[in-house]
């Protein structure tokens, strides 16, 4: 009898998850459209265009390619997209810090808007990271019958006997909690890579909220 854990995730199961994660990435690209150009390396529209360019093949593969091949090919597109979005976020945070510490720093009001945008962008970026890393992504989680791998949600504390499936919104909430409380509200990181991701997000959020926003309010 074929092991159920080796059966690929069906399109009907994978599509909503992929669409949700793609929507989160598109949100990041759209927010960059209203980011001051001085805080972006390149044109404002570049992140959105790259999100569309990298997400479209993944969606096309899910529909038209053989299942096993599609799952193997989608992940590189997703990881490439995440790498770009993370690099763009770090560059923007660095440019904002430079603008804050320059000999003639930007006015407080000019700092508050981009700081708030970067904080929201960081949540969007890390939500997709958590979604893709936990259990090696939705396909890996499906094959492991959604047991706790990198993150343990409350529904998985009993071994997930009910076969509960974490959705993208669960990872978005995890990212939001990490950005606001610098810790997970209801989830537990179980592996080193999960802990490193949460530390990275907390560090970025701390830099934005404490150092940049506090300084901005101070010079209003």
């Amino acid at each position: 009898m074929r092991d159920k854990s080796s059966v690929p995730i069906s399109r009907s199961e994978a599509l909503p998850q992929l669409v949700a994660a793609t929507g989160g990435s598109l949100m990041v690209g759209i927010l960059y459209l209203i980011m001051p150009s001085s805080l972006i390396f390149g044109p404002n529209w570049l992140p959105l265009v790259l999100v569309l360019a990298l997400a479209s093949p993944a969606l096309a593969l899910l529909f038209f390619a053989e299942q096993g091949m599609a799952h193997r090919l989608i992940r590189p597109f997703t990881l490439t997209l995440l790498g770009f979005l993370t690099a763009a976020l770090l560059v923007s945070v660095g440019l904002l810090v430079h603008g804050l510490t320059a000999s003639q720093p930007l006015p407080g009001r000019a700092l508050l808007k981009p700081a708030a945008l970067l904080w929201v962008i960081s949540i969007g970026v890390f939500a997709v990271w958590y979604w893709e890393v936990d259990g090696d992504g939705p396909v890996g989680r499906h094959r492991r019958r959604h047991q706790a791998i990198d993150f343990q949600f409350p529904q998985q504390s009993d071994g997930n006997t009910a076969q509960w499936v974490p959705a993208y919104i669960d990872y978005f909430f995890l990212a939001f909690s990490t950005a606001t409380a610098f810790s997970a509200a209801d989830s537990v990181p179980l592996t080193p890579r999960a802990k490193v991701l949460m530390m990275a997000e907390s560090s970025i959020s701390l830099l934005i909220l404490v150092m940049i926003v506090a300084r901005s309010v101070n010079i209003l």
Side-chain angles (χ1 to χ4, degrees), residues 10-89:
S10 66
R11 285 184 174 86
S12 62
E13 292 175 294
L15 186 59
Q17 295 277 2
L18 185 58
V19 168
T22 301
S25 301
L26 287 173
M27 178 196 73
V28 172
I30 291 170
L31 289 176
Y32 266 109
L33 290 176
I34 56 177
M35 183 76 68
S37 57
S38 60
L39 299 180
I40 301 177
F41 184 75
N44 291 43
W45 47 261
L46 182 59
L48 180 58
V49 169
L50 287 177
V51 168
L52 291 171
L54 290 169
S56 298
L59 291 170
L61 281 168
L62 189 63
F63 276 108
F64 301 113
E66 185 271 328
Q67 271 194 354
M69 180 181 70
H71 295 151
R72 290 193 298 272
L73 294 177
I74 284 173
R75 189 167 172 82
F77 282 109
T78 306
L79 293 177
T80 301
L81 174 60
L82 281 171
F84 169 76
L85 292 178
T86 304
L89 171 63

Side-chain angles (χ1 to χ4, degrees), residues 3 5 10 25 32 47-48 53 68 72 77 82-84 98 106 140-141 144 176 196 198 202:
D3 185 0
S5 64
S10 66
S25 301
Y32 266 109
L48 180 58
R72 290 193 298 272
F77 282 109
L82 281 171
F84 169 76
H98 175 72
L106 295 172
R141 293 192 293 273
R144 294 177 177 89
F176 179 82
V196 168
M198 290 186 67
S202 295

Side-chain angles (χ1 to χ4, degrees), residues 189-203:
L190 302 177
T191 60
R193 63 181 180 180
K195 295 173 183 178
V196 168
L197 280 174
M198 290 186 67
M199 286 190 294
E201 185 189 4
S202 295
S203 299

Side-chain angles (χ1 to χ4, degrees), residues 1-9 139-147 163:
M1 185 176 179
R2 191 177 183 182
D3 185 0
K4 182 181 177 181
S5 64
S6 65
V7 178
I9 187 172
V139 175
R141 293 192 293 273
H142 172 79
R143 289 172 176 167
R144 294 177 177 89
R145 302 185 183 183
H146 299 286
Q147 299 294 319
Q163 297 290 294

Side-chain angles (χ1 to χ4, degrees), residues 75 131-141 144 149-150 193:
R75 189 167 172 82
W131 175 82
E132 183 59 40
V133 164
D134 187 23
D136 295 324
V139 175
R141 293 192 293 273
R144 294 177 177 89
I149 305 296
D150 292 278
R193 63 181 180 180

